[in-house]
Amino acid sequence: MNPTDEQTAAADAFTAGNHLALQAGAGTGKTTTLALLAHATTRRGRYLAYNRAIAQDATTRFPHTVLCKTTHALAYAAIGHRYTRRLNAPRRPAWQTGQTLGITKPIRIGEREVTQKALSNATLRTVTRFCHTADEAITRHHVPHLRGLEDTDLHTELAAHIVPFARKAWADLQHPDAGTVRFDHDHYLKIWALTQPRIDADFLLLDEAQDTDPVVEQIFLAQRDHAQLVMVGDSAQAIYHWRGAKDVMTGFDGTQLALSQSFRFGPDLAAEANRWLHLADAPIRLTGTPAVPTELGPVTQPDAVLCRTNVGAMAQVMTLMTAGHHVALAGGGDSLQALALAARDLKEGRRTHHPELILFPSWGDLQDYAAHDPAGRDLQPLVNLVDTHGTDAILAAVAQLAPEPHAQITVSTAHKAKGREWLRVLIADDFARPQDNSTDGQTDSTSSPDPIDDAEARLAYVAVTRTRQRLDLGGLSWIHHYPDGTPPH
């Protein structure tokens, strides 16, 4: 290939030995660019991939002087192999683990009874959250916020009870041969990070840097004194903050460059993407490839339908199945099945151990919370879906999902669509538009709709850049009437 001017500039900065942050927009060939850098030197490098599949693909594209691994693979080679016996341990319910740790009875916080199961579950989630941070010890800010206990004082009371058990669980995980708590891959990664490891390489390439966990960021940045650091990603696709990920690119001390020429789509779609990049205050704007004539307009037979939420995706699945289509759900239906089973338990008068719904004693209690508590507003679509279709119909639809290669249509959340592309894409209608504060209900240049949240703008950007041939904006088409929806020329 003939490198673009931007790719040449990145190669020149790399050859000069600069630490480098490379903002790579959707479809701009970031892996191709990294391979270009790697082939430009005989030095020894490490490419740190987001997951194993990406690492394996990169191995075929990078020179033999560059080892392509996930951070977990490096940690396993260094420390994780000592815990192989525990990694293969059978699963056990969280409440049994909690009981062994000493969690034997419920407690009451405010108006809620927190069961032994809920306490055990929260304890193990506290350890998981700690493992994603750069922190040296478990403290109360690692304790998850439970539905119904969002108040600061109530959470403080919960954390005071949870933290001692979580620290006991973490101490248990230090033993290589046996223990109470089920050992998983994030545990050995955190144990390795706490040893302040030194990665033996002349340069490091960190991919998907915008979604890096603080624990991986800490490991990567600590190599700065002996290795050249290159991070690549798209700050506008930083959509995992809610689970602890952190965009480490914008504040990185190094040369800041960009890849803005998208090879995935044409100028019309690039202009659409730039609306959202403008609203997200992103550091780049995209240029489309004229030879790729991507269109915007109605799509009657989409290859993919992209949704804002898991519940929205389930509603789409059921609608499409009713119309006779063979439907796949990106990532599978396990999370939706778990929610439906939890809803069925509550409707039948049983408590559930699902972490989102664990504090609710009944379905009626959850209905009231979703309808009347501002903190529960995001659960209203789940309540509506269950009340409309029933849990049996939802579970039946999950059971009828087709594998993607055999499906006519793939339904996906925008989160799970990240890194993927389809020919024809339809945006579902569960993307929220800003509240219109005008008196006549028409949003125009004189009305003042609520500002668009940066995170929502980034998610919309991911959604609209998944197509190669034709995009139906659907549930995001309101952007054309939003006052700030057209970036300045």
Side-chain angles (χ1 to χ4, degrees), residues 215-297:
V215 64
V216 174
E217 176 197 14
Q218 177 191 47
I219 295 167
F220 179 76
L221 295 181
Q223 315 306 312
R224 188 184 186 99
D225 290 341
H226 72 273
Q228 181 184 8
L229 303 184
V230 178
M231 55 174 63
V232 63
D234 185 353
S235 292
Q237 293 191 53
I239 57 175
Y240 290 110
H241 289 169
W242 52 275
R243 72 179 192 195
K246 178 182 177 185
D247 174 19
V248 302
M249 300 190 67
T250 50
F252 180 63
D253 181 13
T255 301
Q256 300 271 346
L257 294 176
L259 300 177
S260 62
Q261 173 71 55
S262 180
F263 304 102
R264 180 180 298 158
F265 43 74
D268 289 348
L269 190 64
E272 192 62 45
N274 287 340
R275 297 179 193 274
W276 299 101
L277 290 170
H278 170 66
L279 290 166
D281 197 23
I284 61 171
R285 300 293 182 269
L286 296 181
T287 302
T289 299
V292 183
T294 315
E295 300 174 336
L296 283 84

Side-chain angles (χ1 to χ4, degrees), residues 54-349:
I54 294 173
Q56 290 172 341
D57 176 67
T59 299
T60 66
R61 306 172 69 172
F62 283 73
H64 65 86
T65 51
V66 177
L67 291 177
C68 303
K69 300 284 186 181
T70 63
T71 317
H72 281 88
L74 297 182
Y76 184 83
I79 280 181
H81 65 277
R82 303 175 192 169
Y83 294 84
T84 302
R85 190 175 303 168
R86 291 194 66 173
L87 278 168
N88 295 327
R91 294 183 179 274
R92 64 187 307 202
W95 68 267
Q96 287 186 3
T97 301
Q99 197 169 54
T100 309
L101 291 171
I103 303 172
T104 57
K105 57 185 179 181
I107 62 172
R108 191 156 196 89
I109 297 179
E111 298 179 356
R112 300 256 178 212
E113 179 186 86
V114 188
T115 66
Q116 187 251 347
K117 286 185 177 180
L119 292 170
S120 301
N121 188 293
T123 296
L124 298 182
R125 288 172 64 199
T126 298
V127 174
T128 298
R129 287 161 61 97
F130 164 67
C131 288
H132 294 163
T133 71
D135 301 331
E136 294 185 358
I138 293 174
T139 62
R140 70 181 187 182
H141 80 267
H142 299 119
V143 177
H145 288 261
L146 299 186
R147 296 277 190 181
L149 296 180
E150 291 89 355
D151 178 81
T152 300
D153 290 340
L154 297 179
H155 181 262
T156 299
E157 189 177 343
L158 173 70
H161 190 83
I162 292 290
V163 166
F165 292 114
R167 289 175 176 168
K168 188 175 180 180
W170 181 243
D172 173 272
L173 289 165
Q174 308 309 302
H175 304 294
D177 296 321
T180 294
V181 183
R182 190 169 192 268
F183 196 93
D184 70 28
H185 299 280
D186 284 345
H187 296 144
Y188 66 70
L189 175 63
K190 181 62 176 178
I191 292 171
W192 182 56
L194 289 172
T195 68
Q196 300 180 332
R198 184 184 191 276
I199 300 175
D200 184 23
D202 299 319
F203 64 91
L204 296 178
L205 307 173
L206 177 65
D207 202 355
E208 299 289 350
Q210 79 282 349
D211 284 325
T212 301
D213 285 342
V215 64
V216 174
E217 176 197 14
Q218 177 191 47
I219 295 167
F220 179 76
L221 295 181
Q223 315 306 312
R224 188 184 186 99
D225 290 341
H226 72 273
Q228 181 184 8
L229 303 184
V230 178
M231 55 174 63
V232 63
D234 185 353
S235 292
Q237 293 191 53
I239 57 175
Y240 290 110
H241 289 169
W242 52 275
R243 72 179 192 195
K246 178 182 177 185
D247 174 19
V248 302
M249 300 190 67
T250 50
F252 180 63
D253 181 13
T255 301
Q256 300 271 346
L257 294 176
L259 300 177
S260 62
Q261 173 71 55
S262 180
F263 304 102
R264 180 180 298 158
F265 43 74
D268 289 348
L269 190 64
E272 192 62 45
N274 287 340
R275 297 179 193 274
W276 299 101
L277 290 170
H278 170 66
L279 290 166
D281 197 23
I284 61 171
R285 300 293 182 269
L286 296 181
T287 302
T289 299
V292 183
T294 315
E295 300 174 336
L296 283 84
V299 173
T300 55
Q301 293 182 313
D303 298 297
V305 179
L306 304 187
C307 306
R308 172 66 182 82
T309 64
N310 282 319
V311 174
M314 191 66 241
Q316 284 289 329
V317 165
M318 298 183 75
T319 299
L320 291 166
M321 283 183 174
T322 301
H325 296 287
H326 294 290
V327 185
L329 184 65
D334 288 352
S335 61
L336 289 167
Q337 182 184 52
L339 272 173
L341 289 171
R344 186 169 71 181
D345 283 343
L346 292 176
K347 286 176 75 70
E348 294 178 354

Side-chain angles (χ1 to χ4, degrees), residues 311 314-315 318 336 380-390 394:
V311 174
M314 191 66 241
M318 298 183 75
L336 289 167
Q380 191 63 57
L382 170 66
V383 171
N384 292 343
L385 185 73
V386 171
D387 286 344
T388 300
H389 297 282
I394 296 171

Side-chain angles (χ1 to χ4, degrees), residues 1 3-11 20-37 231-234 237 249 256-263 277 283-287 461:
M1 58 163 281
T4 65
D5 291 344
E6 291 175 326
Q7 290 171 326
T8 300
L20 179 61
L22 190 58
Q23 289 281 354
T28 57
K30 64 184 176 67
T31 305
T32 300
T33 305
L34 288 180
L36 180 72
L37 306 188
M231 55 174 63
V232 63
D234 185 353
Q237 293 191 53
M249 300 190 67
Q256 300 271 346
L257 294 176
L259 300 177
S260 62
Q261 173 71 55
S262 180
F263 304 102
L277 290 170
I284 61 171
R285 300 293 182 269
L286 296 181
T287 302
Y461 161 67

